[in-house]
Amino acid sequence: MPSPTRWARRGPAALALTLACALALPAGPAQAGQDGRQAAFDVLVFSRTAGYRHDSIPAGIDTLRSLGAQADFSVTATEDAAAFTPANLASYEAVVFLNTTGDVLDTTQQSALESYVDGGGGFLGVHAAADTEYDWPYYGELVGARFKSHPAIQQATVRNEDRTHPATAHLGATWTRTDEWYDYRTNPRPGVRVLQTLDETTYTGGEMGADHPITWCHTQGEGRSIYTGLGHTAESYNDPAFRALLLGAVRYAAGQAPADCTAPPGTGQVEAESYSSGSGVQAAAHAPASGGRTLGYIDNGDWAAYASVPTAGASTFTAKVSSAGAGGTIEIRSGSATGTLLGSVRVPVTGGWETFTTVSATLSTTAAPGPLVLRFTGGTGALFDIDTFTLSTRPGTATLNSDVHLFYYPWYGSPQVNGDWRHWQQGGHTPPDDIGADFHPTLGPYDSGDFNGVVAQHMKWVARSGAGVIVTSWWGRGGYEDRLARGILDAAQREGVKVAWHLEPYAGRTAASTAADIEYINTTYGSHPAFYRSAEHGDRGAFYVFQSLDITDWSALDRVTDTSIVLAQTTDTTKIAHFSGMYTYDGIAGATAPGWKQAGDHARAHGLIWAPSVAPGYLDDRAVPGNSTPTVDRADGAAYDRQWSNALDPAVGGSPTWVSVTSFNEWHEGSSIEPADSTPPAGHGYRTYDGAYGRTGTAAETAYLDRTAYWAARFGTPARR
């Protein structure tokens, strides 16, 4: 496709708020600023201490107030635990524990915070938040790991492991700074998404070894939790990079900025004593156990729940156990102590509480999306202890989201099928090894007419991506793509994928010819079961019109828009008369989303479709030698995540109806999510997806398909965490 039009970057609006905030019981969130507007969201900052008190707390509060003034959120600060009631917490999108220490909440207040977060609220813990509420198991799960010790304040290197999260997206691969570096009693990694780690070789006194997480996030019930060990010193709060980290963390916690905070696949090893809720059980000290403790005092009928350990797709359960008691059975359940039984495993008597063995069970394939609950049965008295466990998962089948549309290109040809090369030679190249693309497809320079081979595989990959619709490129009646359309529809039907249409700017195209093309496509292909129709919009098909600004008068579309959805390629709402909505296509602009919010607001107010486009990157050096189009580096997936995050952030993306992806297989522009060869032909300078989302080699080839499935699952869900 021709290079899309670039849009001028829109400068951010300056939002000023006067935030009244005192260290007293709040009556509710701070209200409007000097201009009388209500803040976009509200944050409660809690800094009570029952142990060591950080002298940086005032600086931290001032920083959060300043960030609120810049980013349109109110801040209410307090050290009165009476603020923790269900009614009061309901006024806030996020709660920040800022350098709290010790036992700061009573049981009623603890219950209020637990219900708030599990019900969809957000939590941000800063530094000594990990040195808080040691006797409350749920809090240990919420914060992720508990403080153990620290060496002297000194300079160290922070490795930014995940640079896609809004808290860390502004940082480079490493970050050198001075702070007080916490060690933790356990490694939180099995149950969280680690964002930053410490390089212990760059400072003295670290005790966690090569894997030393310092900032992480995770989902908690229906809510969100993020913690950073940074923020001990008052000077930290003057550091623009740390302030940006706090702002991103607050926005994530408040549900304003979506991010991937799922735990790694398979959950890894979980400390059994880190349960979020339970009945009858408690932690027991045993020196040989991981972290020096086990889940103990287990009697018949007791249970323990783990809010951040999902059971969806679980295949095996493995636990390290001991028993000097009666032994018994671990029931692996989903959602509650009486929830779906996935499997069970017998725990033998090992002869001592510090004599451990490993037990394992294969779990049912029953779909069970809830959190993990372990229920314990057996004889009388003490049964057994559990030190650690793992819950391994099987690869899931993506549920197709009909609101995610992939731009698809059936314009390739090969001598074996087409009789000659088509498109692969763009830029003066000589296939098969030398093609006009900076990446090389795993299928090689294929033919779009190979329906049983290439196209069938494409549709399997589309289904894996979670996208429910492809938007197939169409260049006019009787053209190459038109002749292949039915075969594409047939292949799509076999995988449950639907087909919409991308109407390209063929020579001589007019508004009248476009309307006639839509009528032709509806008549010719509209009865096919794979023909996409939007049930939410009058069961109409969808037609994207590329370069719609080339034509000024689109009144001819009026004869087809009652039966078809027709989208203009623009965010200029003065140029969409006679259209059903807008899309962008541009694989570059999504990084800054110029005009997206205004376009989305306009579409919603006028009953139109808004379908902004996101892309994993843009690179056309080999296809268009000497082209001055800016390159968008994939940044190991960070660029794709940034564009998706922009699209799904209501304050940036304008709450889209659909999200369109540029592209499934536009190889010339380097925007493809179709798998790229991890070992392409040598000597041509091809790039690979190596490093995308931490994958390497052949595992990286499908990284963008799987990441699309992640975002497709998030788009349209009630809680985008």
Side-chain angles (χ1 to χ4, degrees):
M1 177 166 288
S3 299
T5 302
R6 242 59 67 193
W7 299 92
R9 182 172 181 171
R10 172 175 57 87
L15 302 175
L17 289 175
T18 300
L19 303 173
C21 180
L23 302 181
L25 173 62
Q31 299 302 312
Q34 292 176 342
D35 58 4
R37 290 182 305 100
Q38 184 75 27
F41 63 96
D42 305 293
V43 176
L44 177 66
V45 178
F46 186 56
S47 55
R48 185 181 182 187
T49 56
Y52 180 84
R53 185 168 184 85
H54 285 73
D55 60 11
S56 62
I57 288 175
I61 293 173
D62 287 345
T63 292
L64 289 166
R65 289 173 172 168
S66 175
L67 293 173
Q70 297 169 20
D72 196 17
F73 62 87
S74 79
V75 171
T76 304
T78 188
E79 296 201 353
D80 191 334
F84 288 82
T85 67
N88 190 56
L89 291 178
S91 302
Y92 300 96
E93 278 69 32
V95 173
V96 179
F97 272 40
L98 177 65
N99 278 321
T100 52
T101 56
D103 188 3
V104 293
L105 300 178
D106 65 23
T107 55
T108 300
Q109 294 154 357
Q110 291 172 351
S111 178
L113 180 60
E114 180 175 343
S115 297
Y116 166 77
V117 176
D118 284 353
F123 172 86
L124 164 59
V126 178
H127 192 59
D131 189 24
T132 303
E133 294 290 345
Y134 285 92
D135 296 325
W136 182 20
Y138 175 85
Y139 185 82
E141 184 77 13
L142 177 65
V143 78
R146 298 188 186 276
F147 165 75
K148 176 185 178 183
S149 61
H150 65 78
I153 296 171
Q154 58 192 294
Q155 181 175 285
T157 297
V158 177
R159 298 194 180 280
N160 299 304
E161 181 173 316
D162 185 334
R163 292 158 60 196
T164 67
H165 194 283
T168 52
H170 62 291
L171 297 169
T174 61
W175 182 22
T176 301
R177 65 185 314 276
T178 298
D179 214 321
E180 181 181 77
W181 305 112
Y182 274 8
D183 293 300
Y184 301 94
R185 296 184 179 186
T186 58
N187 190 319
R189 186 180 293 277
V192 303
R193 173 73 61 175
V194 174
L195 306 180
Q196 296 179 307
T197 57
L198 288 177
D199 184 348
E200 288 194 357
T201 67
T202 63
Y203 72 104
T204 59
E207 298 180 357
M208 293 185 70
D211 185 20
H212 187 152
I214 197 67
T215 301
W216 55 80
C217 63
H218 66 279
T219 56
Q220 182 81 17
E222 292 298 317
R224 302 156 299 280
S225 174
I226 181 168
Y227 168 83
T228 181
L230 283 61
H232 170 84
T233 66
E235 292 78 11
S236 294
Y237 297 90
N238 292 323
D239 178 357
F242 180 61
R243 290 166 69 95
L245 183 150
L246 286 178
L247 177 58
V250 167
R251 296 190 71 240
Y252 163 72
Q256 305 298 305
D260 179 7
C261 285
T262 56
T267 73
Q269 182 172 287
V270 178
E271 297 289 337
E273 70 273 12
S274 65
Y275 59 96
S276 54
S277 59
S279 175
V281 297
Q282 57 183 289
H286 292 292
S290 174
R293 300 196 302 169
T294 66
L295 178 71
Y297 301 93
I298 296 173
D299 295 321
N300 182 52
D302 290 349
W303 57 270
Y306 301 84
S308 67
V309 181
T311 57
S315 57
T316 58
F317 173 84
T318 304
K320 182 181 176 184
V321 298
S322 66
S323 177
T329 299
I330 303 172
E331 296 178 351
I332 300 95
R333 293 182 176 269
S334 177
S336 72
T338 58
T340 303
L341 178 64
L342 304 178
S344 62
V345 62
R346 179 70 184 171
V347 177
V349 175
T350 64
W353 295 114
E354 298 184 352
T355 302
F356 293 93
T357 190
T358 299
V359 296
S360 183
T362 300
L363 304 182
S364 164
T365 58
T366 302
L372 174 69
V373 179
L374 303 179
R375 184 175 181 272
F376 314 113
T377 62
T380 59
L383 301 182
F384 48 82
D385 280 9
I386 307 176
D387 181 11
T388 60
F389 66 83
T390 59
L391 192 69
S392 300
T393 58
R394 62 179 63 83
T397 300
T399 299
L400 303 189
N401 186 339
S402 60
D403 292 337
V404 177
H405 300 184
L406 307 184
F407 290 112
Y408 180 78
Y409 294 90
W411 56 14
Y412 301 104
S414 68
Q416 293 82 0
V417 179
N418 182 60
D420 201 355
W421 293 110
R422 196 174 194 278
H423 264 272
W424 296 114
Q425 71 272 36
Q426 183 170 319
H429 297 278
T430 306
D433 287 350
D434 179 23
I435 64 173
D438 287 83
F439 298 90
H440 197 272
T442 59
L443 298 177
Y446 52 74
D447 196 298
S448 296
D450 182 5
F451 301 125
N452 294 325
V454 168
V455 181
Q457 179 61 68
H458 279 177
M459 297 309 149
K460 292 181 185 298
W461 280 333
V462 170
R464 176 169 176 166
S465 80
V469 180
I470 61 168
V471 186
T472 188
S473 177
W474 189 87
W475 286 83
R477 275 177 271 185
Y480 185 79
E481 296 77 16
D482 187 35
R483 296 196 301 272
L484 300 183
R486 193 166 298 279
I488 291 165
L489 285 158
D490 291 343
Q493 171 63 14
R494 290 192 290 270
E495 302 302 329
V497 174
K498 302 298 183 181
V499 179
W501 307 84
H502 207 180
L503 306 185
E504 306 281 13
Y506 58 78
R509 185 184 72 174
T510 66
S513 74
T514 301
D517 290 339
I518 292 170
E519 292 172 332
Y520 164 81
I521 291 171
N522 281 326
T523 300
T524 307
Y525 306 113
S527 62
H528 196 287
F531 189 95
Y532 172 66
R533 297 184 186 278
S534 175
E536 295 81 10
H537 302 93
D539 204 33
R540 294 179 292 165
F543 298 84
Y544 292 71
V545 180
F546 188 67
Q547 292 185 358
S548 58
L549 297 183
D550 290 352
I551 297 171
T552 56
D553 180 6
W554 284 100
S555 57
L557 293 179
D558 291 347
R559 76 184 203 227
V560 297
T561 48
D562 283 345
T563 57
S564 301
I565 297 167
V566 189
L567 304 185
Q569 188 211 350
T570 185
T571 56
D572 186 343
T573 57
T574 69
K575 303 291 179 62
I576 61 170
H578 311 289
F579 281 93
S580 312
M582 298 162 282
Y583 76 110
T584 57
Y585 187 81
D586 193 338
I588 298 172
T592 55
W596 284 19
K597 176 69 164 61
Q598 295 90 325
D601 289 348
H602 179 90
R604 191 164 53 256
H606 293 84
L608 302 174
I609 303 293
W610 166 230
S613 306
V614 300
Y618 187 97
L619 183 63
D620 63 359
D621 291 350
R622 284 175 56 83
V624 190
N627 188 21
S628 60
T629 302
T631 292
V632 176
D633 186 79
R634 292 182 178 234
D636 295 335
Y640 198 35
D641 281 1
R642 173 64 60 82
Q643 296 203 24
W644 267 105
S645 295
N646 283 342
L648 300 194
D649 185 343
V652 178
S655 301
T657 316
W658 305 331
V659 172
S660 50
V661 177
T662 309
S663 62
F664 177 79
N665 63 334
E666 220 293 21
W667 289 97
H668 306 311
E669 295 180 355
S671 65
S672 53
I673 64 169
E674 181 186 352
D677 198 340
S678 58
T679 56
H684 301 286
Y686 294 116
R687 303 194 185 194
T688 70
Y689 298 163
D690 204 59
Y693 304 105
R695 299 188 189 183
T696 58
T698 56
E701 293 179 352
T702 56
Y704 290 98
L705 294 176
D706 295 339
R707 193 59 169 182
T708 304
Y710 164 78
W711 285 111
R714 291 174 65 85
F715 179 45
T717 58
R720 297 175 187 170
R721 298 192 284 276

